[in-house]
Amino acid sequence: MRKEIILAGFGGQGVMSIGKNLAEAGVEEGLEVSWVPSYGPEMRGGTANCTVILTDERIGAPLVDHPTEIVVMNRPSLAKFEPILRPGGTAFINSSMIPEPVSRTDIRAVYVPCDQIAQELGSPKVGNMVMLGACVAAVGVLKPQTIEEMIRAMFTGEKARLLALNLEAFRRGMACG
């Protein structure tokens, strides 16, 4: 088993957080993992992407030329990464920002209304947790319970008030995946 995932969007959309959560959950579950972030010229508003490799084999190099999955939170990211997605791969699309369908017919597309669900939950900041849930459900490599435990560990102390919201966003995303 080897999953090579590219996650991309504008800075501030939480793509680095999604990638880091996937990588940390992979470590927790005993997988070999690589997480490589890449930022554009601005943290918020500029482009940001990262690559995550989850595998049960040794990782020789953390390079991902033709991912098995892409997670795109905005149109520029779809335009950049859809062409390099492997045939038969899966594209996770934030359909709140990208209403048009993918152009390729040799890939699977999972449309997740991340921003819409986040608004319904009362916080535009949890769109990334919605997408994380969709990815975990559709890819099927990581256990949802592992991610939920990590979310619980992230939201302690003063952040504890955000725990229920983030868990609900993750679960709503799972339903989309």
Side-chain angles (χ1 to χ4, degrees):
M1 180 282 301
R2 184 179 179 98
K3 294 295 181 178
E4 298 180 350
I5 308 165
I6 293 179
L7 305 101
F10 292 129
Q13 285 185 297
V15 295
M16 298 299 176
S17 177
I18 299 169
K20 191 173 178 188
N21 278 304
L22 291 172
E24 289 177 355
V27 168
E28 184 70 24
E29 294 187 15
L31 297 174
E32 295 292 319
V33 174
S34 171
W35 176 68
V36 179
S38 174
Y39 296 93
E42 306 165 23
M43 287 288 261
R44 289 206 170 271
T47 59
N49 68 76
C50 64
T51 61
V52 174
I53 300 173
L54 301 168
T55 182
D56 51 10
E57 301 170 357
R58 190 170 177 95
I59 298 172
L63 305 174
V64 174
D65 293 325
H66 298 288
T68 54
E69 286 84 20
I70 60 172
V71 174
V72 291
M73 298 294 282
N74 62 10
R75 280 188 180 106
S77 297
L78 179 62
K80 182 175 182 177
F81 294 111
E82 181 184 0
I84 66 169
L85 180 61
R86 279 184 205 171
T90 303
F92 294 91
I93 312 290
N94 177 3
S95 60
S96 296
M97 292 197 70
I98 310 166
E100 56 276 349
V102 297
S103 60
R104 292 176 53 188
T105 58
D106 63 340
I107 62 173
R108 174 180 161 212
V110 177
Y111 298 97
V112 185
C114 299
D115 300 349
Q116 177 187 333
I117 292 171
Q119 289 292 348
E120 290 170 8
L121 293 173
S123 175
K125 294 181 179 183
V126 297
N128 64 331
M129 288 293 178
V130 174
M131 185 61 86
L132 176 61
C135 290
V136 169
V139 174
V141 171
L142 300 169
K143 297 175 187 152
Q145 300 87 339
T146 304
I147 300 288
E148 287 195 14
E149 288 171 17
M150 292 175 56
I151 294 170
R152 284 186 184 87
M154 285 171 35
F155 294 97
T156 60
E158 282 190 29
K159 293 182 179 180
R161 61 185 168 73
L162 302 171
L163 176 60
L165 172 65
N166 281 273
L167 285 172
E168 181 60 24
F170 174 73
R171 291 172 183 151
R172 292 276 304 269
M174 291 270 307
C176 294

